[in-house]
Amino acid sequence: MGDKKEGLNRRSFLKAGIASLAVATAVPGLLYAGRFQADSLQVWSCGGLAEAFGEANSLYEQRNGIKINYTGAFAAALGKSLIGGAVTEVFAGRVLQLAKTLRSDNKMLYFKPLCFTEYVLVTPRGNPAGIQSVQDLAKPGVKVILPLGASPPGGDAVMGILKKANIDQAVLKNMIEKESCVIKMMPSIIKGEAAASIVERRLTTHTAFAGKVEVISIPEALFPPGPLTFTIGVMKYAKDRVLADDYVNFICSDEAQAIFGRHGFIPASSEKGRTLIEKLGVKDV
């Protein structure tokens, strides 16, 4: 009789466990929610990463039942505010030196390479001016719009490319508009109001612009190294370190890195990304 009762109890326990598992798997995130003490995470990043983070965050939220409170803004503004005492739990910043500064100030616990950006030429569809290289921007009469008024490091990086190519003065003579926002500038290129511009490749994957411009590569040797690097790190203010670490590990996983790749970035986990990590010294030491 005792063995029979014990068997019934075991079956009841198994049935209850299976039922609980079914409920957990039916509700996104419920299966994993017990791993974390907090139910939300505050994440800041440079605004250029916003579209990629939006997609990655949705996937993380769905799987883990965690709310990601995300803010994307100008790189310089976020960096200045964090150095000045602003608080967030995870920060994905542009320019390697910013991550190093936050580490040396003991505001960031660690950082990892996230992705890299690259610059390209864009022209209207059909490339009516026949632009083939960055040197073509210096030809007399070529109408150019450049985002030289964009907040650092945006405009500075474009100017750095022109200077490295030794065509900055000639191109400035051809510039018909100095734009402060790349998002506002792109429609002018699409409409053919200018022959070409220099932008980050990520802009060409933006929903509003994808497939509406021609894209021409710029030699990597012309890229200023500073603005190329994006890192992601856990700040000392993280309320739930396990959650913050898990999130950063997810963003650095091949699955999430592929999202950043689709949005025009070079994933740190890719072969080219690993080369850039070594070349630019993107290591937390």
Side-chain angles (χ1 to χ4, degrees):
M1 183 71 177
D3 290 343
K4 185 175 181 181
K5 184 175 182 181
E6 183 178 343
L8 287 173
N9 288 340
R10 186 180 295 111
R11 284 197 295 272
S12 298
F13 173 79
L14 290 174
K15 285 181 181 179
I18 292 171
S20 298
L21 179 61
V23 171
T25 53
V27 180
L30 187 58
L31 185 61
Y32 305 102
R35 292 188 296 163
F36 310 123
Q37 295 179 350
D39 59 4
S40 66
L41 183 70
Q42 186 179 52
V43 178
W44 287 9
S45 92
C46 298
L49 298 167
E51 287 77 17
F53 264 110
E55 186 176 340
N57 288 344
S58 293
L59 185 57
Y60 189 84
E61 289 177 329
Q62 180 182 5
R63 290 184 178 176
N64 295 283
I66 298 295
K67 174 64 178 175
I68 303 299
N69 297 314
Y70 174 76
T71 298
F74 294 128
L78 285 183
K80 185 176 180 180
S81 63
L82 287 171
I83 292 171
V87 172
T88 190
E89 296 182 273
V90 173
F91 178 57
R94 185 169 192 168
V95 182
L96 178 59
Q97 187 54 50
L98 174 56
K100 289 183 175 180
T101 298
L102 292 171
R103 285 284 282 119
S104 64
D105 288 350
N106 295 316
K107 297 178 184 295
M108 179 179 279
L109 299 178
Y110 68 86
F111 67 82
K112 294 182 178 183
L114 172 58
C115 60
F116 300 87
T117 194
E118 59 182 336
Y119 294 86
V120 296
L121 291 166
V122 289
T123 76
R125 289 294 300 272
N127 191 5
I131 303 297
Q132 298 298 318
S133 69
V134 70
Q135 281 74 20
D136 289 341
L137 303 186
K139 291 180 178 179
V142 174
K143 295 181 178 180
V144 178
I145 297 178
L146 294 173
L148 298 185
S151 64
D156 293 343
V158 171
M159 195 64 193
I161 290 171
L162 298 178
K163 287 182 177 179
K164 274 197 171 186
N166 295 315
I167 57 172
D168 50 308
Q169 295 306 311
V171 174
L172 290 178
K173 291 179 182 178
N174 287 338
M175 189 170 65
I176 63 172
E177 188 174 345
K178 178 181 177 180
E179 183 55 76
S180 62
C181 175
V182 287
I183 298 291
K184 294 179 180 178
M185 182 189 74
M186 287 293 283
S188 297
I189 299 296
I190 293 171
K191 295 174 185 176
E193 295 173 5
S197 186
I198 297 175
V199 301
E200 293 176 65
R201 187 179 293 276
R202 66 178 178 83
L203 265 295
T204 68
T205 69
H206 194 283
T207 304
F209 314 133
K212 297 181 180 179
V213 293
E214 303 291 343
V215 181
I216 303 165
S217 296
I218 295 175
E220 189 177 302
L222 296 178
F223 298 165
L228 300 182
T229 303
F230 291 88
T231 59
I232 184 168
V234 172
M235 306 297 287
K236 74 172 185 179
Y237 315 102
K239 295 186 293 290
D240 185 342
R241 176 68 186 273
V242 174
L243 171 58
D245 288 345
D246 185 77
Y247 174 80
V248 169
N249 288 336
F250 168 74
I251 294 297
C252 293
S253 70
D254 288 343
E255 182 179 23
Q257 288 277 286
I259 294 174
F260 285 84
R262 290 196 297 272
H263 284 273
F265 296 96
I266 301 169
S269 64
S270 67
E271 183 177 352
K272 187 173 182 180
R274 291 192 294 271
T275 298
L276 288 170
I277 289 172
E278 295 299 323
K279 179 180 177 180
L280 301 176
V282 191
K283 297 178 181 179
D284 183 5
V285 292

